[in-house]
Amino acid sequence: MYDMKGYRINISLIVIAWLATIGVATAYELDCPTRINIKSDHPELEATPEGWQVSMKKNRSLLLSGIGVYSDEPVKLFQLKPETGIIDGKKHDLTWQINSAYDENGNYVSCSYNGDEVQLVKKIDPSMKSCWADYSNDKNQAIKAKLICSASEWQKVE
């Protein structure tokens, strides 16, 4: 015997689950590592002043200090200014419109450490249209930051 009502319910649940994953697939998050470790090199000076010597530094950790969005590769220094905007019906203070006609080579997120001493960069998916920054603190009060992007258009708040 074949239960048609039970079959329809199961198909309905599968369709609902599939539709839910489509909504999730249109947005994604890029989490900045909260801390990175660097190896300090012995600095090379053109000339060491008489009577002085260069001290060796130990390896050290750098804490995250901020997040930014660039048009094109960050080395070209086209950092976009964040604005207050509405994305997916929610207001955010730090938003960016991305992957527009002006962004010929795409957009990049930059995670900055110890000011701008070190930056980690990653290309943003070209199907995304807008992003916003989400800042919080971990249990030790260190900054946590992530860039959340959406395929939805961005609306500027006046």
Side-chain angles (χ1 to χ4, degrees), residues 14-141:
I14 291 170
V15 169
I16 290 169
W18 177 73
L19 289 172
T21 61
I22 290 174
V24 172
T26 60
Y28 75 97
E29 297 179 7
L30 299 166
D31 291 305
C32 290
T34 55
R35 171 188 310 265
I36 59 172
N37 295 319
I38 62 169
K39 292 182 178 180
S40 297
D41 291 330
H42 190 76
E44 292 184 34
L45 300 178
E46 286 182 20
T48 303
E50 188 176 328
W52 292 88
Q53 63 183 5
V54 178
S55 172
M56 294 289 289
K57 290 186 175 183
K58 295 182 181 180
N59 295 343
R60 61 190 175 121
S61 291
L62 299 181
L63 295 175
L64 179 68
S65 54
I67 195 168
V69 174
Y70 288 80
S71 176
D72 210 334
E73 295 179 24
V75 72
K76 295 183 180 177
L77 302 176
F78 298 132
Q79 187 169 12
L80 301 177
K81 178 183 170 194
E83 299 188 60
T84 301
I86 297 173
I87 302 172
D88 295 332
K90 288 184 157 183
K91 181 180 173 186
H92 303 280
D93 291 328
L94 302 171
T95 66
W96 295 269
Q97 180 178 350
I98 60 167
N99 294 316
S100 70
Y102 303 109
D103 300 318
E104 292 178 17
N105 295 315
N107 294 95
Y108 289 77
V109 61
S110 169
C111 303
S112 299
Y113 298 85
N114 198 29
D116 278 337
E117 183 176 345
V118 175
Q119 289 184 336
L120 296 179
V121 298
K122 189 173 195 174
K123 190 165 187 172
I124 299 171
D125 184 320
S127 69
M128 298 295 114
K129 300 293 178 204
S130 56
C131 297
W132 66 94
D134 182 28
Y135 283 96
S136 60
N137 294 91
D138 69 10
K139 63 183 179 185
N140 298 318
Q141 298 303 311

